[in-house]
Amino acid sequence: APAEEWISRSDEDIIGATMSELAKLFPDEISADQSKAKIIKYHVVKTPRSVYKTVPNCEPCRPIQRSPIEGFYLAGDYTKQKYLASMEGAVLSGKLCAQAIVQDS
């Protein structure tokens, strides 16, 4: 992500590339030619604006978890942490927020 290069590709191209990547990651279970695990049915969903794209100079806009308001903290994938707009970022932000609360208590 972002998937600019994939959004105009056919569903078959996307499935083929996905299977090739999965075959590299799980060679005992998956092969690109589907001689092992097989896809029975699929539907490719394309959401061109579903994730954020990093652009220069945006990092300073992301707030830290400790706000300037006493007792008010922020958590979410939009806050300052090492992952951009992802579930991992949201979880890490929650942990950082909890750490800030503990430190201030």
Side-chain angles (χ1 to χ4, degrees):
E4 284 180 59
E5 67 183 79
W6 292 99
I7 206 72
S8 63
R9 305 266 300 264
S10 71
D11 290 0
E12 292 75 21
D13 283 350
I14 293 169
I15 293 297
T18 301
M19 289 305 291
S20 292
E21 188 67 22
L22 288 172
K24 290 179 198 170
L25 295 170
F26 307 102
D28 293 336
E29 294 83 12
I30 299 172
S31 63
D33 67 0
Q34 293 194 40
S35 61
K36 297 177 183 176
K38 295 182 182 0
I39 295 177
I40 307 283
K41 183 178 179 180
Y42 67 85
H43 180 79
V44 175
V45 177
K46 298 177 183 180
T47 49
R49 291 184 173 86
S50 68
V51 295
Y52 296 100
K53 181 177 182 179
T54 55
V55 293
N57 303 317
C58 283
E59 188 61 24
C61 298
R62 297 173 76 191
I64 61 172
Q65 286 70 33
R66 183 181 287 113
S67 82
I69 302 168
E70 184 179 340
F72 186 70
Y73 300 85
L74 302 170
D77 64 351
Y78 63 93
T79 61
K80 195 169 290 278
Q81 38 75 27
K82 64 182 177 178
Y83 302 111
L84 180 66
S86 64
M87 291 303 296
E88 294 84 356
V91 171
L92 178 56
S93 175
K95 288 180 177 184
L96 294 171
C97 184
Q99 287 174 352
I101 292 168
V102 168
Q103 289 169 358
D104 292 352
S105 296

